[in-house]
């Protein structure tokens, strides 16, 4: 499907892609999704709706004048429980401007009734990943856009 869309897309096309690259390694998935976005923007120049969880792509394309970033909005309220960072989340099914300010995967996992022990461990690991990524971005800002052919 992706190959057909890339081969057939013109300036008059509307291309919609959701989660391209999922199911591969993070690096391969990001590279595939990034190369596809680059092709759609620079070669096809078509109207596209491209949904992704690869946040590094957002950083790469945020300043591109032909790209408008958006996210699915939600209402987040602090929970009355003792646990820090617990939130009640309501998905609004509305497209809002800009990037999503925060990931709410742990909240979604809570809605799916994962055990508290798993949620607590996931929250800890997620915070560690977030800190590592923040540290690595300040040392080496990401820019793979020009490397993708």
């Amino acid at each position: 499907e992706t190959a057909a869309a890339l081969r057939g897309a013109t300036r008059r096309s509307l291309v919609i892609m959701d989660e391209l690259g999922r199911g591969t390694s993070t690096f391969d998935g990001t590279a595939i999704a990034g190369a596809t976005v680059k092709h759609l923007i620079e070669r096809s120049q078509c109207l596209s709706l491209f949904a992704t969880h690869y946040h590094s792509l957002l950083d790469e394309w945020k300043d591109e004048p032909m790209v408008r970033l958006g996210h699915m909005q939600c209402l987040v309220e602090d929970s009355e429980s003792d646990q820090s960072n617990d939130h009640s989340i309501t998905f609004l099914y509305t497209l809002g401007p800009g990037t999503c300010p925060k990931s709410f995967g742990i909240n979604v996992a809570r809605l799916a009734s994962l055990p508290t022990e798993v949620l607590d461990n996931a929250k800890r690991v997620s915070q560690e990943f977030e800190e590592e990524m923040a540290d690595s971005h300040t040392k080496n800002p990401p820019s793979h856009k020009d490397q993708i052919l």
Side-chain angles (χ1 to χ4, degrees):
E1 293 171 342
T2 300
L6 294 177
R7 278 194 295 270
T10 69
R11 287 179 155 217
R12 298 178 54 89
S13 299
L14 169 61
V15 175
I16 300 173
M17 293 193 177
D18 182 31
E19 297 303 331
L20 182 66
R22 298 285 283 199
T24 64
S25 73
T26 300
F27 300 115
D28 287 351
T30 302
I32 291 166
T36 300
V37 168
K38 183 177 179 75
H39 184 94
L40 292 170
I41 292 168
E42 295 178 358
R43 294 205 181 138
S44 302
Q45 298 180 347
C46 61
L47 183 60
S48 302
L49 178 61
F50 195 94
T52 185
H53 279 89
Y54 297 124
H55 293 271
S56 63
L57 293 180
L58 306 177
D59 291 336
E60 292 175 33
W61 293 100
K62 68 181 177 192
D63 296 323
E64 172 64 42
M66 299 298 294
V67 173
R68 288 197 180 68
L69 299 177
H71 67 279
M72 295 308 294
Q73 293 182 318
C74 59
L75 178 63
V76 180
E77 300 177 85
D78 289 334
S79 170
E80 294 181 14
S81 75
D82 295 341
Q83 296 178 343
S84 64
N85 293 331
D86 278 351
H87 305 287
S88 171
I89 187 166
T90 303
F91 296 102
L92 302 177
Y93 302 99
T94 304
L95 184 62
T99 61
C100 187
K102 185 174 176 359
S103 175
F104 297 105
I106 304 298
N107 303 82
V108 173
R110 184 179 307 106
L111 290 172
S113 300
L114 267 64
T116 303
E117 178 183 339
V118 172
L119 293 171
D120 291 344
N121 188 40
K123 198 182 310 180
R124 180 186 55 76
V125 171
S126 177
Q127 287 171 341
E128 289 171 6
F129 281 149
E130 204 169 311
E131 290 168 9
E132 285 177 30
M133 292 303 292
D135 288 346
S136 78
H137 283 189
T138 55
K139 293 175 187 169
N140 300 312
S143 181
H144 308 290
K145 182 170 62 171
D146 295 327
Q147 298 172 5
I148 299 171
L149 301 176

